[in-house]
Amino acid sequence: MWTLSGFIDEISDDFSLQCKVASDLGLRYVEVRSAWGTNILDLDSDQLSKVQETLATYELKVSSIDSPFGKISIDDEFPPHRDRMKHAVEVAEVLEAPYIRIFSFFIPAGSDPDSRRDEVLTRMAALAEVAADADVILAHENEKEIYGDIPRRCLDIVTSVSSPKLQLAWDPANFVQVGVRPFTEGYAMLRPYVSTIQIKDALLADASVVVAGAGDGEVVETVRALRADAFDGFFSLEPHLGEYTEFGALSGPELFTNAWKAFTDILTSEGIAYA
């Protein structure tokens, strides 16, 4: 039985509607990135309590806090960013989220990412250290234009930091958008370190995002391999089919549902049970 989740702020800014649509689709877990147009880490205590109450109303649990950590330039000041990670860990503990999504810093245009390796690894180790005593794991996402955008550098991060608190989130669309065929070029290399899967797809031709299975993200091949490997982590819908916002993309209820159907159709055709 595979466990589905989703970036539900792609449904709406309104957190109640986010939860209602997720619940109506049968999701039992969600990823929390923003509520009422505010980043989850910027909510005050009353708002965070309202998030808890709403989740309980719809019988939803949180699979991940979708933080913006590491989504700053490698040239930006780091200590305040590191210190804010302490708050992220606190929020994860309040919401009982097992994961916090992070990134590995934007590299200035025209710079060789490998030339910034040492500084990136120092920062990633520092973020992992903040989570050392907490019941939470940091999941690095292979975002475009950061150090860990291609499989080789994702592997470098997780093996060099070598912390049980730092694992990988697999995003096939983001790999496609940097010219990588995810399964062919990255699966065998990264699979031992992957703990969460983000469900979106993209086309190599123009980098446009499409529903799972409609692009070059080799989603079906990856699903088959994960089943063979007895993977039991989260599969999180991140459609990115609508208008882009500061948090991601506002796909809306209809397009989010379309993305859910595309992926669950793949699971059904492969004979994989999900909830």
Side-chain angles (χ1 to χ4, degrees):
M1 180 70 71
W2 282 4
T3 304
L4 306 190
S5 184
F7 291 66
I8 58 172
D9 64 348
E10 289 209 12
I11 294 169
S12 170
D13 284 343
D14 182 76
F15 192 69
S16 293
L17 181 56
Q18 293 179 25
C19 291
K20 181 182 186 307
V21 173
S23 177
D24 287 348
L25 290 175
L27 299 183
R28 296 180 296 135
Y29 285 85
V30 297
E31 300 211 10
V32 179
R33 179 169 49 190
S34 66
W36 308 292
T38 301
N39 186 279
I40 184 66
L41 302 183
D42 294 324
L43 298 179
D44 61 32
S45 57
D46 288 342
Q47 290 172 313
L48 198 57
S49 294
K50 181 63 174 176
V51 165
Q52 289 179 283
E53 293 169 6
T54 306
L55 289 167
T57 296
Y58 289 97
E59 300 182 331
L60 294 169
K61 297 180 180 180
V62 178
S63 60
S64 178
I65 302 297
D66 294 325
S67 83
F69 288 102
K71 265 198 167 182
I72 61 171
S73 171
I74 192 62
D75 291 327
D76 288 341
E77 188 178 5
F78 179 62
H81 200 64
R82 178 199 57 216
D83 292 344
R84 186 162 160 74
M85 173 59 81
K86 299 174 185 177
H87 177 57
V89 169
E90 292 170 353
V91 172
E93 290 177 333
V94 167
L95 297 181
E96 300 180 353
Y99 294 99
I100 299 174
R101 182 190 61 161
I102 65 170
F103 304 88
S104 55
F105 304 95
F106 289 117
I107 305 302
S111 298
D112 177 6
D114 291 311
S115 71
R116 312 305 297 270
R117 174 181 182 272
D118 290 349
E119 189 170 359
V120 168
L121 295 181
T122 297
R123 291 184 174 198
M124 296 301 288
L127 293 178
E129 182 62 27
V130 174
D133 297 324
D135 191 20
V136 67
I137 291 170
L138 308 183
H140 170 270
E141 177 184 339
N142 52 290
E143 177 64 274
K144 303 174 291 296
E145 300 174 0
I146 63 173
Y147 178 79
D149 58 347
I150 61 174
R152 172 178 62 83
R153 287 195 287 267
C154 290
L155 181 66
D156 183 28
I157 290 168
V158 74
T159 56
S160 296
V161 173
S162 189
S163 167
K165 292 297 182 177
L166 179 61
Q167 298 177 10
L168 298 178
W170 173 276
D171 189 311
N174 287 353
F175 276 139
V176 169
Q177 290 176 330
V178 296
V180 171
R181 291 191 175 276
F183 180 78
T184 301
E185 300 175 45
Y187 183 85
M189 180 191 307
L190 299 180
R191 170 64 186 92
Y193 310 99
V194 172
S195 55
T196 66
I197 309 294
Q198 295 179 192
I199 303 301
K200 66 178 186 282
D201 205 343
L203 300 173
L204 280 166
D206 60 6
S208 60
V209 177
V210 293
V211 297
D216 297 301
E218 301 180 312
V219 173
V220 173
E221 294 91 333
T222 304
V223 162
R224 290 172 179 166
L226 289 168
R227 176 175 57 184
D229 288 346
F231 179 82
D232 64 354
F234 291 103
F235 293 81
S236 192
L237 300 164
E238 190 187 16
H240 268 36
L241 298 174
E243 178 184 353
Y244 280 76
T245 71
E246 62 179 300
F247 303 114
L250 190 60
S251 298
E254 182 177 354
L255 293 177
F256 191 93
T257 299
N258 290 348
W260 171 87
K261 185 176 187 306
F263 184 58
T264 56
D265 281 351
I266 290 172
L267 299 185
T268 299
S269 69
E270 294 296 319
I272 298 172
Y274 61 88

